[in-house]
Amino acid sequence: MIQAFSRPMSYGQYLKSLLPSVLTMIFLSFYTTIDGFFVSRYAGSDALAGINIVIPITCVTFGVAVMLATGAGAIIGEHLGRGEMEQANRIFSFMCLVLLAFSVAFTALGVAFLRPIAVLLGSSERLMPHVLPYALVVFLGTVPMAFKLFFEYLVRSDGNSKVGLAMSVAGLVLNVGLDYLFVGVFGLGTLGAAWGTTLSITASALIGLVYFLRFGNIRFARPKADAKVLLKSCTNGSSEMFTEFSTGITTLLFNLMVMKYFGEDGVAAVTIIMYIYYFFISFYMGIAVAVAPVVSYNVGAQNPDKIREMLRYSFRTIAVTAALILAASLLGGQAIIHLFVQSGNVFDITWQAPGCSARCSCSSASTCSSRAISPPWATG
């Protein structure tokens, strides 16, 4: 599969190669959205707002995991392009240890200071019964969440994006079932939604673990601590990390300001808007993560023609996708909002901003497209 990275392809073949990665990112965007869907239907708008208060916590985990995955993936891709499998395996294993250390430390910190963190994130006393249980389970699920993202990115560097798609599909189907059971049937509210998501993410991460233990070209090997590799990985993937962090910071600031002027209903409205944004931006992210391993491999293999081909196709696809997303958001925004709320104050606040969400998602196209090329070139 890795050798296919260097072969010329038609635009139709390129679009076909994007499909697993784009679907994977769409399904990834659905994890929190599914929580919001079931919670809004069975536990009310306050529970929906409580989930959004916790979003910045998940952005920290996402940011660090994606930074290490894309940064190390670019380095691993270059080694694969040069045929240096042992070195690629050692870097992969070392990054796994680094990610595990971060995840355990972040979990301990979050559990120890759970309520102060909830207050810092802007939770009111009215929302606290929804925020605390959701945040607790999110912190406890840091390890599987981080490794799910890490493995989904690295299977693409291994030339097997279909495994990443299988991880996402399995996790998504399980998440829908568990959320319905825990929230809709047992009435556990945000606690049930959090456990449904965490258990489904754990199952997805285990699929990735089994793949790299038994089937991958990239395998676990005896790691060697290398500060230079770690620094280079962090530098390569820093743009991805800051993209995730900026999402968390933006959500936090939105929550603080909206809570001040619109109250808990305003935070629930912001939650719906962010779900729409995450869904739209997942198309761009899918294109970026599909192209990045191919570019990395061909940087190592010194194949500039293939790199130019991939970038030409990618920029064309992102431009068309941005136009389609803008049209879909402006024309179908009301129907999308009705998935979460039918009427009332939360609907009215949300409906005032569908165009804003669309414009934000379209402006993110250039940012996401740059992610396809910045980590590979940064290794040079």
Side-chain angles (χ1 to χ4, degrees), residues 160-176:
N160 208 330
S161 58
K162 291 182 180 179
V163 174
L165 178 59
M167 291 171 62
S168 288
V169 171
L172 182 65
V173 171
L174 186 59
N175 194 15
V176 171

Side-chain angles (χ1 to χ4, degrees), residues 10-214:
S10 66
Y11 187 61
Q13 291 172 323
Y14 165 82
L15 292 177
K16 184 178 179 181
S17 72
L18 289 184
L19 189 61
S21 295
V22 171
L23 290 177
T24 296
M25 297 309 296
I26 291 173
F27 293 155
L28 179 61
S29 75
F30 281 164
Y31 276 94
T32 304
T33 305
I34 288 169
D35 286 354
F37 174 80
F38 282 103
V39 163
S40 65
R41 290 299 179 94
Y42 295 103
S45 59
D46 280 1
L48 180 63
I51 290 178
N52 201 49
I53 294 292
V54 181
I55 290 297
I57 297 174
T58 64
C59 287
V60 174
T61 303
F62 279 28
V64 175
V66 171
M67 175 188 70
L68 293 177
T70 56
I75 299 173
I76 291 170
E78 283 199 46
H79 285 293
L80 293 175
R82 293 194 289 262
E84 299 168 352
M85 287 299 303
E86 183 60 28
Q87 186 67 13
N89 290 340
R90 296 181 70 146
I91 293 173
F92 168 74
S93 302
F94 174 51
M95 288 301 117
C96 286
L97 288 180
V98 172
L99 185 60
L100 179 62
F102 159 77
S103 300
V104 171
F106 191 62
T107 299
L109 180 67
V111 172
F113 299 98
L114 187 63
R115 189 177 182 87
I117 290 174
V119 173
L120 181 65
L121 293 178
S123 176
S124 64
E125 285 300 320
R126 174 175 150 185
L127 294 183
M128 201 66 75
H130 304 291
V131 172
L132 289 179
Y134 195 83
L136 175 62
V137 179
V138 166
F139 275 120
L140 293 175
T142 298
V143 172
M145 182 186 297
F147 276 96
K148 169 190 162 53
L149 290 168
F150 186 80
F151 289 150
E152 279 185 349
Y153 271 76
L154 267 297
V155 293
R156 299 182 187 95
S157 296
D158 200 43
N160 208 330
S161 58
K162 291 182 180 179
V163 174
L165 178 59
M167 291 171 62
S168 288
V169 171
L172 182 65
V173 171
L174 186 59
N175 194 15
V176 171
L178 291 177
D179 270 16
Y180 174 74
L181 181 65
F182 293 159
V183 181
V185 178
F186 295 155
L188 296 178
T190 56
L191 177 64
W195 275 118
T197 298
T198 298
L199 292 175
S200 62
I201 284 176
T202 301
S204 183
L206 288 174
I207 295 173
L209 178 62
V210 171
Y211 172 79
F212 284 112
L213 283 173
R214 301 192 60 182

Side-chain angles (χ1 to χ4, degrees), residues 306-376:
K306 180 64 178 180
I307 295 172
R308 284 192 289 267
E309 174 190 85
M310 295 300 292
L311 297 183
R312 183 174 68 254
Y313 289 162
S314 298
F315 291 138
R316 182 193 308 175
T317 305
I318 288 173
V320 173
T321 302
L324 293 175
I325 283 176
L326 179 61
S329 179
L330 295 177
L331 296 175
Q334 194 168 18
I336 297 173
I337 296 169
H338 277 314
L339 293 173
F340 300 93
V341 290
Q342 296 301 313
S343 59
N345 191 40
V346 174
F347 177 87
D348 292 338
I349 297 172
T350 308
W351 179 232
Q352 294 172 10
C356 176
S357 177
R359 289 190 294 273
C360 289
S361 63
C362 287
S363 68
S364 299
S366 60
T367 301
C368 291
S369 62
S370 68
R371 295 174 68 168
I373 59 174
S374 57

